[in-house]
Amino acid sequence: MRDEGFEPWLQDFTAGRNDGIAGWDLDRIFRQPSDLERVIKAYCHAYFKEGRVKPVLWLPSMSIDLTDEDGQMVARMLVNIANHSSAKTVKRVTNFYRDEALKGNVFSNYPAFYRNQDGSINEDKAVITHKAIADVFAGIRPTAIAEDWRTKGITTARGGRVTGETVRRILIAPGIAGLAVYKREVLLDEDGQYIKRADGGLIDVPTWEALCELLKSKPDRRRPTRALLSRVLRCGRCGSKLVRAPKGDRYFTYNCQSKDAGGCAGLGISGPRLDQQITDLVLAYLDQPIEAPESDGAPDTARLDEVTTKIAELMAAYRAGEMSGSIVFPSIKELEDEQKKLRSRVAQRVRKAKQVTSAAEEWPTLPLDRKQEFEVEPGGMGRFPLGQFTLKNQPKGFALEVTPNNNPKAVVSQITRLASEYNKFELVLYVVNYGDCAVSIEVFAG
């Protein structure tokens, strides 16, 4: 009878197409007391107002007259008892699965992308996920990763279409670090430590925290770049930006925009040939390998372990009644603040350690988005030509995206106008990094 059959039956009864209802048990017909009240109202209206035959409510164990006050009282009692029993069952099942999760046994009807139905790691998808993690640390956007997955026919765990947000959610889910989660809550033990899943994860906790830090505040709604020099090239005649114009499946050109779009439409150049020429120049500049960052995170890691242990010891002393809350909680607050800063620094070093260490060797495998970025070292300055413009064709504006953007005030930018001819000028962007870590700068024309 229930669930999809209740509403059609009630509509048929109101229209006079049936004379009552039969069911295996009362709680299979009425899931909520409000359903019973609707049927009582319909039965009474049909019997007393319309003069129809007395409706029946038939069960294998009894028949109940819902037009009679005593029958209504019995039905209400039975429905309330069934409701109470169902609520206790839900609570019992909920407590069981939470208790199992606290032991590290996590159950899910919809396992993560890289897991099998039983929760174990799917080796093939684990390789795909590890590559996505490495790509993110190398600066590739989730949208570019998603596009690559779609090209290879990779879908979500339920067979759906992969998007940039899908990739982001897969990588920041706590389960990827083997952490136990119940109803989106990351579970902790009595000492405030993460509870690990019995079936493990793909990466360690510091790497996961570095991923979350990298992906938490990077909106990824921009379409992926389709040509190396998109948003970069400018027309030598009018200063307008060149746009990619496809000429078949593989060939394309860079053309000046139409006059309606602010260009002169008088210049075009072969896209693949120019891309190759610029690539050769860049690789010649990057023929010296980049030295890998030094690993000096041992003191922070040791201090982080020490702070975490102190928090656990203070909580244990408080539970045992050895120390009062007025002493314990202020101390824990200070330690937790320090713990947060230490975790951020450790995560930053993990992220640096996973970045590309030989730019010239890695260039052919880099995505177009990554090739259009430029980095500014701590205490350094970067210079980025924005193009040539005319008094009639001035730029609408420029937008910068800084990664990581931990301290917005640490990065200062300024656009300088350089005169070249009477009615022409050149714009150059200067960026100064006052922070303590390197930042990646992307420039977008408005």
Side-chain angles (χ1 to χ4, degrees):
M1 179 65 204
R2 195 65 175 172
D3 289 320
E4 63 279 354
F6 179 79
E7 293 297 337
W9 167 83
L10 187 57
Q11 293 175 7
D12 289 345
F13 177 82
T14 303
R17 288 192 286 267
N18 62 58
D19 295 326
I21 187 172
W24 180 254
D25 202 349
L26 204 62
D27 64 347
R28 303 307 302 170
I29 303 174
F30 310 113
R31 291 294 176 86
Q32 297 296 332
S34 58
D35 295 337
L36 173 61
E37 296 304 324
R38 291 170 63 196
V39 173
I40 291 175
K41 183 177 180 180
Y43 271 31
C44 291
H45 185 273
Y47 183 63
F48 294 113
K49 301 292 184 180
E50 299 178 0
R52 291 166 54 181
V53 177
K54 179 175 288 191
V56 296
L57 172 59
W58 181 87
L59 304 171
S61 57
M62 70 181 78
S63 295
I64 302 177
D65 183 3
L66 294 183
T67 62
D68 179 69
E69 293 181 356
D70 293 337
Q72 294 172 9
M73 183 189 71
V74 172
R76 289 181 177 121
M77 289 177 59
L78 292 175
V79 169
N80 284 327
I81 291 172
N83 247 11
H84 179 66
S85 177
S86 297
K88 291 183 67 176
T89 300
V90 170
K91 184 177 181 180
R92 184 169 62 253
V93 172
T94 299
N95 290 340
F96 168 78
Y97 283 113
R98 181 178 174 81
D99 290 343
E100 287 297 309
L102 289 171
K103 299 175 185 176
N105 302 319
V106 179
F107 302 94
S108 174
N109 293 327
Y110 304 104
F113 168 79
Y114 46 84
R115 295 187 184 275
N116 298 314
Q117 193 64 38
D118 61 355
S120 60
I121 301 296
N122 184 305
E123 296 300 332
D124 294 336
K125 291 187 175 180
V127 173
I128 297 172
T129 309
H130 276 299
K131 183 179 183 304
I133 294 171
D135 289 345
V136 169
F137 281 119
I140 301 178
R141 293 171 171 273
T143 45
I145 298 173
E147 184 178 25
D148 180 54
W149 285 14
R150 291 195 296 269
T151 302
K152 296 177 180 177
I154 300 172
T155 63
T156 65
R158 305 189 200 182
R161 181 177 182 271
V162 177
T163 64
E165 181 62 17
T166 306
V167 174
R168 193 185 76 87
R169 289 179 180 273
I170 290 173
L171 300 184
I172 66 173
I176 199 171
L179 304 184
V181 178
Y182 182 73
K183 290 188 175 181
R184 300 184 180 182
E185 175 193 358
V186 181
L187 301 179
L188 306 175
D189 59 19
E190 294 181 353
D191 297 328
Q193 303 297 315
Y194 290 124
I195 295 177
K196 297 296 186 69
R197 293 176 59 125
D199 45 21
L202 297 183
I203 57 179
D204 55 22
V205 174
T207 304
W208 170 67
E209 291 175 343
L211 268 176
C212 293
E213 186 72 20
L214 197 62
L215 294 174
K216 70 178 181 180
S217 60
K218 285 199 67 175
D220 198 37
R221 302 188 181 108
R222 182 166 59 86
R223 288 183 298 176
T225 305
R226 297 186 180 276
L228 175 63
L229 303 176
S230 295
R231 313 185 191 96
V232 177
L233 292 180
R234 296 283 170 176
C235 177
R237 296 179 178 178
C238 67
S240 177
K241 66 181 179 180
L242 303 186
V243 295
R244 176 181 179 271
K247 304 290 184 180
D249 295 337
R250 297 184 177 180
Y251 187 75
F252 67 95
T253 60
Y254 291 112
N255 296 342
C256 183
Q257 299 182 96
S258 65
K259 294 182 179 180
D260 293 338
C264 66
L267 185 145
I269 189 170
S270 171
R273 291 180 61 185
L274 182 60
D275 284 357
Q276 187 59 49
Q277 182 179 2
I278 297 300
T279 298
D280 293 341
L281 291 173
V282 171
L283 292 181
Y285 180 76
L286 298 175
D287 59 352
Q288 297 295 326
I290 301 173
E291 295 183 1
E294 297 181 1
S295 178
D296 58 349
D300 284 342
T301 304
R303 178 57 182 167
L304 178 60
D305 294 338
E306 181 182 348
V307 169
T308 304
T309 302
K310 284 185 178 181
I311 293 175
E313 291 174 350
L314 286 171
M315 288 302 299
Y318 172 71
R319 293 192 187 98
E322 298 173 359
M323 299 179 69
S324 65
S326 60
I327 297 176
V328 170
F329 293 117
S331 301
I332 287 182
K333 178 64 170 62
E334 295 179 2
L335 290 172
E336 285 180 340
D337 291 342
E338 183 180 359
Q339 184 185 52
K340 185 177 179 181
K341 294 179 181 178
L342 289 170
R343 280 179 174 172
S344 178
R345 290 208 292 265
V346 171
Q348 189 178 51
R349 287 191 176 91
V350 170
R351 184 167 63 250
K352 281 184 177 181
K354 293 180 178 291
Q355 288 178 346
V356 176
T357 57
S358 180
E361 294 176 2
E362 295 289 339
W363 179 269
T365 63
L366 292 177
L368 294 176
D369 286 338
R370 183 63 172 167
K371 294 176 183 177
Q372 292 182 345
E373 297 177 3
F374 69 97
E375 289 192 354
V376 183
E377 296 297 325
M381 181 180 70
R383 182 182 186 276
F384 188 83
L386 300 176
Q388 291 188 347
F389 304 91
T390 64
L391 297 178
K392 293 183 178 180
N393 180 33
Q394 299 193 33
K396 296 179 181 179
F398 297 93
L400 302 184
E401 183 170 324
V402 182
T403 308
N405 195 15
N406 299 329
N407 183 7
K409 295 182 179 179
V411 179
V412 179
S413 61
Q414 178 179 336
I415 295 179
T416 301
R417 175 172 171 171
L418 305 176
S420 56
E421 295 182 17
Y422 170 70
N423 64 338
K424 293 183 179 180
F425 61 92
E426 180 184 1
L427 293 182
V428 178
L429 169 68
Y430 292 93
V431 178
V432 180
N433 179 14
Y434 293 102
D436 56 358
C437 66
V439 295
S440 176
I441 309 292
E442 286 187 273
V443 184
F444 309 104

